[in-house]
Amino acid sequence: QNWMKGMSYCLHSESHLDTGPIYVRENGTLHMVNQGAGSIQNVTPKTRPFRLFSRGFSVELCMNREDDRARRQRTDHFIFTYTKEGNLRYSAKSLFSLVLGYISDNVDHIDSLIGFPEQIAEKLFSAAEARQKFTEPVTGLRALRKFTEAYGNLVLCSLCLRNRYLVISAKLEEIKSFRELTCLDLSCCKLGDEHELLEHLTKESLSSVKQLLLKDNSLSDAGLRRMTAPVRVLKKGLENLSVLDLSCNPKITDVGIRYLLSFKKLNCLDISGTGLKDVNAVIKRIQTQIGLVHSKVPLKEFDHSNCKTEGWAEQTVLQWEQAVMEAIKPQDNLRSRTAALRFYGKTHRIKEVVKCKLVEAEANASVNLQFYKEKVQNCHLPLKNEVAGSHELKNNKKRPLAEQERERTSKKKHLCLTVEDWDLLNTY
């Protein structure tokens, strides 16, 4: 009984906290000490499950509470597949794919990609494109410029915006960010002479353009003068142009054709459907000064089948077009309403926009004015030119120096700039 008194004294001591029921084992049996009376009661032991935390404790695993998007992408770290037995199996992604996904999510924060390997950059561009990062208004433009300034024509070497004037108006700055394009199709876009994109064509970033299609763009002689001013005066801009389509622009006259004579590397030219007055004189001038021959058969360079959007950003341009088409879907409802009004005998009609097909029909009905450069097949032609050049050298030696100086001064007079040309140079 002495140890019972000591036990009860310890239980009733104020210096110790209440630790709950106390069990004592004696002679192989377990006894529970009653704290109130200090007696011992025989009890059968109850098996309790081991609990590390209290009953109301819970744990929630998340990446960041403030960023819901990051919490949704927790499963992106794993690849889920099903086995033959139908069991779900998952495996962790590689570190490269995880890092690639993280950088593509924050691609607008990249400082520069100059010197970065092209193979990895293409995968990074595809990952950002799959997340539609380039369709965002501000961050997409900033990210696209980082790629274009580092990789140039790899991002996009050919761009076809035929009859996509809505895409041009919505994504003008993004289109201007493309560099080193070799082919650009802007047919049936109704841009006009003062459009910002036509002014951008004269920049050094697009001096690599070799094929330019400007069919049905409401161009006039003033637009051609602005577009050819850097080539005529500064020998810059579209100096490497080899294929040019200016058909279905009725405001272009004989005066505007003179500006095209500065494109010395032209191999194909289409001026069908323009407002020429003296067609025979224009054909002769183009043949003598550029060396292009009038074709009686339509050329394949102007059937618009070769011009396609090619490069890393091919899907990006398609995403822009889909976004524009989704934005104009309410107009389709208006068309259905007008069709219903016509069915019920209403006279209200909406004038439809004239498409490029009508312009093509008019162009087919007009005179075909397509030109190409003949390939020299006979080996005698260069010999004749050499003989003629030797005769000219002999004649020049016989001429007095005074006449030669007169010819030089007359050529310089023809190269004098007009006031309009000086005004254009001041704008660049």
Side-chain angles (χ1 to χ4, degrees), residues 24-93:
V24 178
R25 182 178 294 275
E26 183 180 5
N27 297 327
T29 59
L30 188 64
H31 306 277
M32 184 179 69
V33 179
N34 190 357
Q35 297 182 8
S39 60
I40 300 177
Q41 298 177 0
N42 293 330
V43 293
T44 56
K46 296 181 179 179
T47 58
R48 295 185 178 181
F50 178 75
R51 189 182 296 275
L52 181 62
F53 301 101
S54 62
R55 187 178 296 274
F57 185 82
S58 63
V59 178
E60 182 181 0
L61 180 63
C62 61
M63 296 176 65
N64 190 359
R65 289 181 178 272
E66 297 179 356
D67 192 359
D68 294 336
R69 182 177 58 184
R71 183 162 53 187
R72 291 193 214 101
Q73 294 176 353
R74 287 178 301 181
T75 57
D76 290 348
H77 297 272
F78 304 98
I79 301 174
F80 294 92
T81 56
Y82 283 95
T83 60
K84 295 180 179 180
E85 293 78 10
N87 299 325
L88 184 63
R89 183 181 180 182
Y90 67 92
S91 59
K93 288 186 178 181

Side-chain angles (χ1 to χ4, degrees), residues 122-306:
E122 184 178 3
K123 294 181 179 179
L124 179 60
F125 190 93
S126 301
E129 190 178 52
R131 290 166 170 80
Q132 296 187 354
K133 301 295 291 186
F134 300 114
T135 58
E136 299 176 0
V138 179
T139 59
L141 175 60
R142 184 163 58 245
L144 189 61
R145 285 175 177 174
K146 298 299 179 182
F147 282 95
T148 53
E149 70 183 2
Y151 304 103
N153 60 352
L154 292 177
V155 179
L156 209 65
C157 62
S158 178
L159 179 59
C160 180
L161 295 174
R162 178 181 172 86
N163 203 15
R164 292 177 175 87
Y165 48 90
L166 294 177
V167 178
I168 294 176
S169 60
K171 298 293 180 180
L172 179 60
E173 295 299 327
E174 285 80 354
I175 294 171
K176 289 169 60 176
S177 66
F178 293 123
R179 299 185 177 187
E180 300 180 10
L181 289 174
T182 57
C183 180
L184 182 60
D185 189 354
L186 300 174
S187 303
C188 308
C189 290
K190 306 289 184 180
L191 299 180
D193 297 331
E194 304 294 333
H195 199 274
E196 191 175 351
L197 185 56
L198 291 179
E199 184 181 355
H200 180 68
L201 291 176
T202 59
K203 304 295 182 181
E204 293 183 0
S205 59
L206 290 181
S207 60
S208 59
V209 173
K210 295 182 179 180
Q211 187 175 359
L212 181 61
L213 307 178
L214 296 173
K215 180 179 182 178
D216 187 22
N217 271 283
S218 303
L219 297 176
S220 65
D221 298 338
L224 293 183
R225 180 170 58 84
R226 291 176 59 87
M227 190 173 63
T228 58
V231 182
R232 291 184 289 111
V233 181
L234 302 175
K235 304 301 179 182
K236 294 181 180 180
L238 298 171
E239 57 181 351
N240 296 318
L241 200 62
S242 61
V243 178
L244 180 61
D245 186 3
L246 294 173
S247 59
C248 302
N249 290 290
K251 294 183 181 179
I252 296 178
T253 62
D254 303 21
V255 179
I257 299 300
R258 291 186 299 178
Y259 299 126
L260 302 179
L261 303 178
S262 58
F263 295 132
K264 301 299 181 181
K265 296 183 180 180
L266 270 183
N267 292 327
C268 297
L269 175 64
D270 189 2
I271 53 175
S272 305
T274 55
L276 301 179
K277 296 181 181 179
D278 194 351
V279 178
N280 295 327
V282 171
I283 293 175
K284 186 176 181 181
R285 183 181 299 173
I286 292 175
Q287 186 172 359
T288 54
Q289 298 191 18
I290 308 181
L292 300 181
V293 181
H294 181 221
S295 176
K296 298 181 180 179
V297 182
L299 301 175
K300 63 178 182 180
E301 284 80 6
F302 302 108
D303 60 358
H304 299 272
S305 61
N306 298 326

